[in-house]
Amino acid sequence: MTFAVSSTDFHYEANNKAHHTSEITKQRLILRRGQAFTITLNLHRGSQPEVDKVQLIAETGPSPSEASGTRAVFRVSGPPIRSSWSAAVQNSSSSSVTLSVTSPANASIGKYSLKIQAAKGTPQTSALGEFILLFNPWCADDSVHMQKDNEKQEYVMNEQGLLYRGCAESFSPSGWNFGQFEEDIVDICLKLLDVSPNYSTNPGLDCSKRSDPTYVGRVVSAMVNCNDDRGILLGRWANDFPDGTPPSRWTGSVEILRQWSLNGCRPVKYGQCWVYAAVMCTVMRCLGIPTRTITNFDSAHDTDRNLTIDEYYSVSGQELKLSSDSVWNFHVWVESWMTRPDLPTGYDGWQVLDPTPQEKSEGVYCCGPAPVKAILEGDTNIKHDVPFVFAEVNADKVRWTVGSDGSKKKSYSNTRQVGSNISTKAVGANAREDVTRFYKYPEGSKKERDVFAKAVCNLKSTGTPRCLDAPPPAASGVIELSIKLQKTPVNGEDITFYLHIVNKNQSSKNLSITTVAQALRHNGRPEDPCWKNTQTIKIGANGETKVTLLVPYSKYGASMLENNIVKLTAIAKEEGSNEMHMTVKDVLVAHPTLSIEVKGTPVLYQDFTAEITFTNTLSETLRNCLLTLSGIGLIRTKYEIPIRTVGPNNLVRVTIPLTPTKPGSRMLTADFDCNLFRDVKAFKTVEVKRVY
């Protein structure tokens, strides 16, 4: 009797553990490319274990072919063959044969079938089973190889992380559950690739290109937003979110991905930059590409590719919406780790990918991968989308004053403000790592200005790149304005601050000073003014003075439902001249504190409790309150706890029983929303012990 297989043992538990996928499942085979796995072929009685007379077939995609690299036919032979599928006998008996099978380190990722057939004669093919193949940062030959184990643990294996939000002078982290190892997420991530326009247009070519993390990253960047396709998230940057979830309420990716998949790949409402980036981080980590979220504060959106951000203000201090350029309070993207064989040497490593739909890249709303090294060096002629990302971290900012007749006067030029405190979660700790030095040389240094000049020269655009502008000439006399807070503003309290005015002239000055407050969306777009003050002062020669001001909560509070930043602008006009002086300060208004405490020792499959407390520091009652808790491995489905009202200065304490289902470091997140503000968040890292 010839070689005949009765059943196949894929050794799910042992193989998945060796391939770092046992966190996903132990019930099916999920592998990483370039690494051997073991299968045992159980033979029919009387079958001859002559494995040299059979060959294996591995296939992926709807039209697999050897030419495209999506089909491999290989014999059982000796040691693994580099860049090819191979198999070797580990042990053999009259009833079974155990093989070690190795995929090449450049194989396409995706769902595979494994078959067996006779090597000679009429081929009679028998199916052995299926498996999923992912990228492998543990394999030295894989283009996503990462050397340090603690970095692989952070950027591939860690199911939770931190997202930094706020403004440049005041920001904080919030917890996020990525959840890339929830069992159904790997199927959803592969489904995402299968519904992309690339797959619909040419499925064979698309599956072939899935060997390249540069290609996969670009596809995922496009598919996380829904602007060109059946992507995951619909963005909205308004103050209302009809028929959907406000972006600030999300605390994890799993709910978003499941909702997208279960609803027939219809977009989930709603996302903004940090949600887009966090979901992309989940997808990329799930597929095996080391990825981290990055927050850039004072992040420029340069729509006309001239590396300049223009802002316009009226003579009364109101920011005008005359330019499509903007500076976002913060913007979040991801970096993914990979080699770039498509580029000259020197650009391997971290690559910027941005799924937030801002500008089109080659006709599609996606961005990257842009090498961080190219951004640092001003190599704006390197693909993909380096000019756009360079501007985000290093554009020059020019402020114009618009007269009542529409005339524009350049009042200010700043080469240092854009791109600051660029942040990511530190490896192995709930702490911040500043990565600004990898994106730009020190502000004000000759090297930074030389790189900027190089970026302008390298820039290719349909128009003519601008010349390097010099700062506007200094006014004939010098009046210096600055805004200083008297204390950290808290939602529900008045914002108290003072204007510090210095007169460096040899003569006294009469100044008409207008100060305006505007709520600021996180993408840098201001709301209409909520408060305005105008007054006249006289300041002596070489003198200085302070003017104390107050923005009442009654004026700004209604604007804080979807915002928590107030832009303060002061313009001083000199009496009897056309000279004007301006200062601007973005103020983060803090919400009341939400806290989480763990009671007891968390042990796998044993109950413990979490206590969540919140104090209403406002002088009015909060209504329609909702407390939401979630945590991968701690809560199977999120808890939503309605709280009708919370009176002024009242404390709410909620105790929740939890039963962990996954060991190790886990993150419990809490979100508190009410009628007056949203986005009050807390997180707590919980170490779940195994039962021994």
Side-chain angles (χ1 to χ4, degrees):
M1 186 177 181
T2 59
F3 190 94
V5 178
S6 61
S7 64
T8 305
D9 184 353
F10 279 101
H11 303 284
Y12 298 139
E13 186 169 352
N15 280 323
N16 288 5
K17 182 178 180 180
H19 285 248
H20 306 278
T21 61
S22 58
E23 284 283 321
I24 302 175
T25 183
K26 298 174 183 177
Q27 306 302 317
R28 55 179 174 152
L29 193 59
I30 302 179
L31 306 170
R32 299 189 186 275
R33 65 185 192 175
Q35 183 174 338
F37 62 97
T38 301
I39 61 172
T40 296
L41 307 178
N42 298 309
L43 308 179
H44 284 290
R45 182 176 297 179
S47 177
Q48 300 176 11
E50 297 174 332
V51 292
D52 58 330
K53 294 183 179 180
V54 298
Q55 52 193 9
L56 299 175
I57 303 170
E59 296 178 327
T60 186
S63 305
S65 71
E66 292 181 73
S68 65
T70 54
R71 184 176 193 265
V73 181
F74 52 102
R75 301 278 290 270
V76 177
S77 54
I81 303 171
R82 190 173 182 143
S83 300
S84 299
W85 288 83
S86 60
V89 176
Q90 280 190 333
N91 54 64
S92 176
S93 70
S94 60
S95 60
S96 67
V97 176
T98 299
L99 302 177
S100 175
V101 182
T102 305
S103 63
N106 63 349
S108 290
I109 64 161
K111 294 182 179 179
Y112 276 78
S113 64
L114 188 64
K115 304 173 183 176
I116 191 170
Q117 70 178 18
K120 295 181 180 180
T122 303
Q124 292 183 339
T125 303
S126 299
L128 298 178
E130 297 180 340
F131 60 90
I132 289 173
L133 192 65
L134 305 174
F135 291 103
N136 191 355
W138 286 266
C139 174
D141 293 328
D142 198 305
S143 50
V144 302
H145 174 246
M146 182 169 266
Q147 188 170 7
K148 295 181 179 179
D149 287 339
N150 62 337
E151 292 184 347
K152 290 192 286 280
Q153 182 63 37
E154 182 67 52
Y155 302 133
V156 181
M157 302 299 291
N158 197 350
E159 288 195 87
Q160 54 264 339
L162 302 178
L163 304 177
Y164 289 88
R165 293 186 289 160
C167 57
E169 295 184 13
S170 181
F171 55 87
S172 60
S174 57
W176 191 272
N177 279 295
F178 295 115
Q180 68 269 26
F181 296 140
E182 292 292 276
E183 185 170 356
D184 57 337
I185 295 300
V186 67
D187 299 299
I188 295 173
C189 292
L190 294 176
K191 182 179 185 178
L192 182 71
L193 301 181
D194 287 347
V195 301
S196 74
N198 300 49
Y199 183 88
S200 300
T201 302
N202 191 332
L205 180 62
D206 175 69
C207 290
S208 176
K209 286 186 166 186
R210 292 183 190 179
S211 62
D212 178 10
T214 300
Y215 174 81
V216 171
R218 201 157 165 78
V219 170
V220 173
S221 172
M223 289 300 297
V224 170
N225 70 73
C226 67
N227 288 46
D228 315 284
D229 43 48
R230 299 167 65 195
I232 297 169
L233 279 161
L234 177 64
R236 185 170 174 83
W237 284 265
N239 280 344
D240 62 320
F241 300 96
D243 304 318
T245 300
S248 60
R249 189 170 295 170
W250 301 114
T251 57
S253 305
V254 172
E255 183 182 359
I256 296 170
L257 290 165
R258 284 174 175 164
Q259 186 174 323
W260 172 78
S261 180
L262 291 172
N263 290 339
C265 304
R266 289 192 294 272
V268 176
K269 301 175 181 179
Y270 292 98
Q272 290 181 8
C273 68
W274 70 93
V275 185
Y276 285 113
V279 170
M280 182 165 185
C281 186
T282 294
V283 174
M284 297 294 274
R285 286 186 183 182
C286 181
L287 297 178
I289 302 174
T291 301
R292 61 188 185 182
T293 59
I294 300 289
T295 301
N296 177 40
F297 293 96
D298 287 330
S299 187
H301 182 177
D302 179 22
T303 58
D304 52 11
R305 292 171 54 91
N306 67 351
L307 303 186
T308 295
I309 305 301
D310 296 302
E311 291 183 346
Y312 298 90
Y313 289 81
S314 70
V315 292
S316 63
Q318 178 181 345
E319 185 176 354
L320 306 173
K321 304 169 186 177
L322 299 181
S323 171
S324 54
D325 288 351
S326 60
V327 176
W328 297 31
N329 303 317
F330 68 92
H331 184 53
V332 187
W333 56 71
V334 302
E335 288 177 356
S336 292
W337 182 269
M338 64 189 73
T339 61
R340 291 298 301 273
D342 57 319
L343 299 178
T345 57
Y347 297 109
D348 295 345
W350 289 117
Q351 314 286 320
V352 170
L353 287 152
D354 190 351
T356 300
Q358 298 181 87
E359 301 293 330
K360 287 188 175 183
S361 173
E362 298 177 6
V364 177
Y365 277 105
C366 67
C367 181
V372 173
K373 181 67 172 177
I375 299 161
L376 174 69
E377 300 297 342
D379 294 333
T380 48
N381 55 325
I382 293 295
K383 63 180 183 180
H384 297 276
D385 306 309
V386 172
F388 184 78
V389 184
F390 182 89
E392 287 183 300
V393 301
N394 215 12
D396 285 353
K397 187 174 180 179
V398 177
R399 190 178 296 156
W400 303 81
T401 304
V402 181
S404 56
D405 60 353
S407 61
K408 300 179 179 69
K409 180 181 178 181
K410 183 187 289 188
S411 61
Y412 173 84
S413 180
N414 190 324
T415 64
R416 301 189 181 195
Q417 179 182 345
V418 168
S420 62
N421 296 323
I422 305 176
S423 305
T424 191
K425 179 185 177 298
V427 173
N430 283 335
R432 171 180 169 266
E433 179 185 354
D434 191 301
V435 294
T436 308
R437 67 191 183 280
F438 299 118
Y439 280 86
K440 58 200 298 188
Y441 289 98
E443 288 288 6
S445 67
K446 182 179 184 300
K447 180 67 173 177
E448 186 270 335
R449 284 290 89 190
D450 288 345
V451 165
F452 188 90
K454 176 184 175 185
V456 172
C457 292
N458 284 336
L459 189 60
K460 297 177 180 179
S461 65
T462 53
T464 303
R466 70 177 180 89
C467 298
L468 291 176
D469 293 323
S476 54
V478 178
I479 298 290
E480 293 182 353
L481 288 178
S482 60
I483 295 173
K484 306 291 184 183
L485 293 174
Q486 292 192 347
K487 64 176 183 177
T488 301
V490 176
N491 201 344
E493 300 177 359
D494 300 335
I495 300 173
T496 55
F497 65 100
Y498 63 85
L499 289 176
H500 185 212
I501 308 166
V502 180
N503 179 14
K504 293 187 175 182
N505 293 275
Q506 299 300 315
S507 59
S508 62
K509 295 288 184 181
N510 290 322
L511 301 175
S512 175
I513 302 175
T514 300
T515 310
V516 171
Q518 296 171 273
L520 198 64
R521 300 180 192 174
H522 102 268
N523 64 354
R525 296 296 182 186
E527 304 285 356
D528 292 334
C530 59
W531 172 86
K532 182 178 179 179
N533 175 272
T534 300
Q535 63 188 114
T536 301
I537 68 165
K538 183 175 182 178
I539 184 170
N542 298 310
E544 63 179 287
T545 188
K546 294 180 180 179
V547 178
T548 300
L549 295 168
L550 177 149
V551 182
Y553 171 69
S554 61
K555 294 293 185 180
Y556 79 83
S559 302
M560 291 294 101
L561 183 60
E562 297 298 341
N563 309 286
N564 64 343
I565 295 177
V566 173
K567 176 189 280 290
L568 298 175
T569 305
I571 289 184
K573 296 174 64 178
E574 295 183 24
E575 186 180 89
S577 80
N578 293 322
E579 296 294 343
M580 290 187 294
H581 312 275
M582 179 187 296
T583 185
V584 176
K585 187 176 185 66
D586 294 343
V587 177
L588 180 69
V589 180
H591 287 320
T593 301
L594 183 70
S595 63
I596 303 174
E597 292 296 329
V598 170
K599 305 294 183 180
T601 301
V603 178
L604 192 65
Y605 303 121
Q606 296 182 16
D607 292 347
F608 73 100
T609 59
E611 183 179 87
I612 298 89
T613 58
F614 173 82
T615 301
N616 175 17
T617 57
L618 276 65
S619 59
E620 56 186 296
T621 298
L622 305 181
R623 305 184 187 281
N624 303 322
C625 306
L626 180 67
L627 178 64
T628 305
L629 277 81
S630 59
I632 299 299
L634 297 173
I635 301 174
R636 291 191 181 276
T637 58
K638 67 181 181 181
Y639 280 114
E640 288 191 342
I641 304 164
I643 302 170
R644 182 174 296 177
T645 60
V646 182
N649 301 310
N650 280 10
L651 180 144
V652 174
R653 180 179 286 110
V654 178
T655 301
I656 301 293
L658 302 172
T659 307
T661 57
K662 288 186 176 184
S665 182
R666 301 291 157 191
M667 180 178 286
L668 181 64
T669 62
D671 176 271
F672 183 89
D673 294 304
C674 65
N675 63 316
L676 295 182
F677 49 76
R678 294 194 178 105
D679 196 24
V680 182
K681 295 191 182 296
F683 66 91
K684 182 79 172 180
T685 299
V686 178
E687 296 296 331
V688 178
K689 296 182 178 181
R690 293 180 181 272
V691 180
Y692 293 102

